[in-house]
Structure formats: structure tokens, C-alpha cells
């Protein structure tokens, strides 16, 4: 194992890159958070900053960059879904990670409350009420009340060290 002395925090591009690389050593699942705009258009984005918070009441957390144009749309919606992607859904992860294009083109979706788009073929889907938001540096942190969910026995899509990975059997 390569180990280095933990340096003091600094600033600049080198620090940001090293920090990001260190964070990449934590394996995460991949989710796509989806909702509808006030005009009824489906929107979604790929998020790996998702985690559980509480069982009672059922709460989850995720965060969104302040620089994304969809930030205000997610802040203002009443409901959204957190779709936990399955192993074979890397293409969906890439599709929703992009900033442009018709992300929902050609997709068959289910609908939750207020028409929230639910992606098919996922490991789990959480329907959430948009309840609490906090500023968190260059992100906004959403703490969400889970009002419904489902799950399927599928292997999850995993992200580690800048690449998609598979769980070992």
C-alpha cells in the first residue's frame, strides 16, 4: 500500500485534483435523479453523492453542484426520484451526466407522483419529497423524505477510481 504523509490543506488546481483523486478511492453507486419542470418537461442528472440518513423517518441525502443550470429546477420541485442504476446501465449514467441533449429520448419510463419520471431496470427507485436544502460549499445538499420506493435483485452499477466497476461474486 502506498502511503503518504497527510499534507496540510492548501488551494489551487493541484490540491483540487489530489482531493478529487482521494475522494475517488471511495466506491459509490450511481444514481440518476429525475423530476419534471413546472412546464412538465422531464429532467434528470447523474449523481453519485447519494446516501441514507435515517430509517425513522425515512430520509436520504444527495448533493448538486451550484454551477449546474438545473439547480434551480431541482430546488423548486416538490417531488423527485432517485434511480439507483444497475450494472448494465452505464450508458444511462453517461447519458444523464451530459449537459445537453434529449436525455429522455427513446426511454420508456414509469411515472411517480406529479409525473416524476422513474427509470426502468434500476436496482432501486426512491420517490422523494423535496424537504430540506442546505448550502454546502460549491454544492447544495438535499435531505429528502422518502415517500415510496421499490427494488429489484440486480447487481448495482459501481464507480471507483474514475471508472465503472463490477462487484465480485
Amino acid at each position: 500500500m502506498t502511503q503518504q504523509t497527510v499534507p496540510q490543506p492548501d488551494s489551487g488546481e493541484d490540491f483540487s485534483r489530489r482531493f478529487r483523486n482521494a475522494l475517488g478511492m471511495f466506491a459509490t453507486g450511481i444514481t440518476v435523479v429525475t423530476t419534471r419542470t413546472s412546464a412538465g418537461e422531464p429532467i434528470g442528472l447523474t449523481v453519485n453523492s447519494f446516501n441514507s440518513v435515517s430509517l425513522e423517518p425515512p430520509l436520504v441525502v444527495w448533493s448538486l453542484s451550484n454551477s449546474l443550470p438545473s439547480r434551480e429546477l431541482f430546488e423548486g420541485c416538490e417531488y423527485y426520484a432517485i434511480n439507483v442504476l444497475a450494472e448494465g446501465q452505464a450508458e444511462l449514467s453517461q447519458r444523464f451526466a451530459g449537459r445537453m441533449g434529449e436525455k429522455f429520448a427513446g426511454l420508456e419510463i414509469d411515472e411517480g407522483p406529479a409525473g416524476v419520471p422513474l427509470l426502468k431496470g434500476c436496482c432501486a427507485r426512491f420517490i422523494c419529497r423535496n424537504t430540506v436544502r442546505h448550502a454546502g460549499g460549491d454544492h447544495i445538499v438535499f435531505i429528502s423524505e422518502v415517500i415510496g420506493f421499490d427494488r429489484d435483485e440486480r447487481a448495482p452499477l459501481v464507480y471507483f477510481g474514475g471508472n465503472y466497476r463490477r462487484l465480485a461474486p
Side-chain angles (χ1 to χ4, degrees):
M1 178 173 147
T2 303
Q3 203 155 14
Q4 299 175 355
T5 304
V6 177
Q8 294 297 315
D10 55 14
S11 60
E13 188 174 316
D14 183 54
F15 174 81
S16 295
R17 172 50 44 200
R18 289 184 297 112
F19 184 55
R20 187 177 195 150
N21 289 346
L23 290 171
M25 299 310 293
F26 181 69
T28 65
I30 301 291
T31 67
V32 172
V33 181
T34 56
T35 192
R36 289 201 183 267
T37 67
S38 58
E41 295 298 317
I43 61 170
L45 52 95
T46 299
V47 171
N48 73 339
S49 60
F50 167 73
N51 213 328
S52 62
V53 173
S54 170
L55 294 175
E56 190 58 43
L59 299 173
V60 294
V61 64
W62 65 285
S63 64
L64 175 63
S65 174
N66 290 332
S67 67
L68 291 178
S70 58
R71 177 186 169 205
E72 289 182 10
L73 299 171
F74 279 97
E75 281 184 286
C77 71
E78 185 175 0
Y79 297 100
Y80 44 77
I82 300 172
N83 302 271
V84 180
L85 298 186
E87 187 175 77
Q89 294 182 306
E91 182 276 328
L92 273 180
S93 172
Q94 292 296 320
R95 176 190 287 220
F96 284 92
R99 292 186 185 224
M100 305 299 286
E102 295 291 323
K103 295 179 181 180
F104 287 87
L107 291 182
E108 289 185 40
I109 59 170
D110 295 324
E111 289 194 353
V116 170
L118 299 167
L119 302 178
K120 294 187 177 192
C122 295
C123 295
R125 304 182 299 184
F126 298 91
I127 301 165
C128 302
R129 186 182 326 275
N130 192 357
T131 51
V132 178
R133 292 165 302 285
H134 295 285
D138 59 2
H139 280 62
I140 181 167
V141 178
F142 291 80
I143 299 175
S144 312
E145 176 190 6
V146 177
I147 61 167
F149 63 91
D150 60 17
R151 67 183 290 264
D152 196 351
E153 292 292 327
R154 296 174 187 253
L157 182 61
V158 178
Y159 199 73
F160 174 77
N163 295 297
Y164 296 111
R165 307 292 178 135
R166 292 177 182 245
L167 290 180

